[in-house]
Structure formats: C-alpha cells, structure tokens
Amino acid sequence: MTSNTPSSESASFDAFQSSLTENTDQRLSIDRVVQLMPGFVYVFNHQTYSNDYTNRSVGEHLGYSSEEIRAFGAGMLMRLVDPDDQHLLGEHMARIAQLADDESATLEYRVNTKQGTQCWLRSVDTVFDRMDDGSVLRHIGVASDITVEKNSEMALTLLNGELEQKVAIRTEDLGRLNCLLYTSPSPRD
C-alpha cells in the first residue's frame, strides 16, 4: 500500500520527538506544538480527497460546525473554495502530485465563510507519503489566514491606481499650461 522510506527529515523528526519524550521538564509534546502553532496543519489524502488529520478545523474557523463539515464529506474543498479559485486548487493538486520529496508548493486562494464573507488562505504543502508506485498518497500542509494581508494589498493597489490617475491628470494640466505659456504673447511685446 504505502512506502515510507526513511529520510533525513523523518530521522530529524524522530530525534526531535524522542528528545521531547525524554525531556519531560519542558512539558512539550508534538500535539502541544501543533496545537499552539498559528494556522492549520493538515494531512490530505489524495485517494479520499479529504483530510486524514487537522490540528484544528478550517471549516470551524470559517463558521461551520463539526457536523456541517462532516456533512460536506469529500466535497468540502469545492464547497468552501471560492468558485473563481477552484481551478487554482486543481492546478495546485497537480503540482503536489509532481513534487519531489524535498520540495513544497504554495497556493493563495479565497474561501467563503458561512456568514458569506471571503477569507484568504495561504497553503504550503509537501509530500507526506507515497504509494508503492511512487504517486503521492498524502501531503502535509500548513494553511494560514492571510485575509488582513490581502485586504491591505488590495487597498494599496486601489490607492496606487488613484494616485496614478491623479498624476496623469496633473501631468495633462501641466502640459496644457506649458502649451499656453509658449503660445501666449509676451507682456513685453
């Protein structure tokens, strides 16, 4: 079914997990690290097209109850991702399927909240494990809410457009005044 070949990353992770287990004075655990981490950690299964693991629910962050998320089933992504960004999600999944084990893919996309507003997410994904034939079985990712950043970016773009328009109008005005200056008779004449 799956082939989990050890890598230096998994060896490092095993060593980290072992050090956490041995050092109880720090009261750290992988679960605690993942729960305290900002954003959403998930393991996405390419066969079932659903999450096998999440540290917290993106759906609940968007205002949906656990029951509503379960009811979405495998269609959850298509239900939540903005229709204009769904093609980006498909392209992203295709990129993930082509990733080498040490590579990652990033996607910024919009999702719709239960309240009808949009939320921007940035997902960074890498291969978690593969099938015997080498195809991606699951990928692990981290999604962050970047709505504030995107709203600021859009506001800045709008302001830049307004400024460019004002500069164009002022440049046109100066051109007209310059033309009048050169075509008007001089007071000494």
Side-chain angles (χ1 to χ4, degrees):
M1 299 259 288
T2 63
S3 171
N4 294 329
T5 55
S7 69
S8 61
E9 288 180 20
S10 65
S12 296
F13 180 77
D14 291 343
F16 174 68
Q17 190 172 22
S18 176
S19 73
L20 291 178
T21 304
E22 293 170 7
N23 191 353
T24 56
D25 291 340
Q26 291 183 343
R27 296 187 187 267
L28 289 176
S29 71
I30 296 300
D31 289 336
R32 181 164 164 75
V33 169
V34 172
Q35 287 301 322
L36 291 175
M37 188 176 160
F40 310 96
V41 177
Y42 52 88
V43 176
F44 185 84
N45 187 314
H46 287 243
Q47 287 189 319
T48 62
Y49 219 68
S50 62
N51 286 329
D52 285 348
Y53 170 82
T54 59
N55 67 329
R56 65 182 58 87
S57 173
V58 173
E60 289 177 13
H61 177 72
L62 300 175
Y64 295 95
S65 69
S66 297
E67 294 77 29
E68 288 171 310
I69 296 300
R70 275 193 295 282
F72 292 158
M76 182 181 108
L77 282 175
M78 291 298 121
R79 176 84 184 253
L80 297 178
V81 173
D82 186 273
D84 291 338
D85 290 350
Q86 288 181 2
H87 72 283
L88 298 174
L89 185 63
E91 293 167 6
H92 183 67
M93 290 298 188
R95 274 194 311 276
I96 292 170
Q98 301 300 314
L99 288 177
D101 288 341
D102 61 345
E103 295 177 329
S104 64
T106 302
L107 175 67
E108 293 181 358
Y109 56 102
R110 294 167 292 177
V111 290
N112 297 310
T113 68
K114 185 174 181 178
Q115 295 75 27
T117 60
Q118 283 191 332
C119 176
W120 279 90
L121 296 178
R122 178 183 296 125
S123 293
V124 181
D125 302 295
T126 193
V127 175
F128 186 72
D129 57 6
R130 297 181 181 274
M131 301 287 290
D132 288 335
D133 66 3
S135 62
V136 175
L137 173 62
R138 295 181 295 182
H139 73 263
I140 187 168
V142 177
S144 302
D145 186 335
I146 59 167
T147 305
V148 171
E149 177 183 329
K150 282 299 203 178
N151 287 343
S152 297
E153 185 180 297
M154 287 184 277
L156 185 58
T157 299
L158 182 64
L159 287 173
N160 281 339
E162 291 172 2
L163 180 60
E164 286 176 12
Q165 187 177 25
K166 287 178 182 181
V167 167
I169 290 169
R170 187 65 183 141
T171 301
E172 191 177 299
D173 290 345
L174 288 172
R176 274 195 302 272
L177 289 173
N178 213 14
C179 187
L180 282 173
L181 187 69
Y182 284 112
T183 58
S184 297
S186 156
R188 288 183 236 153
D189 294 339

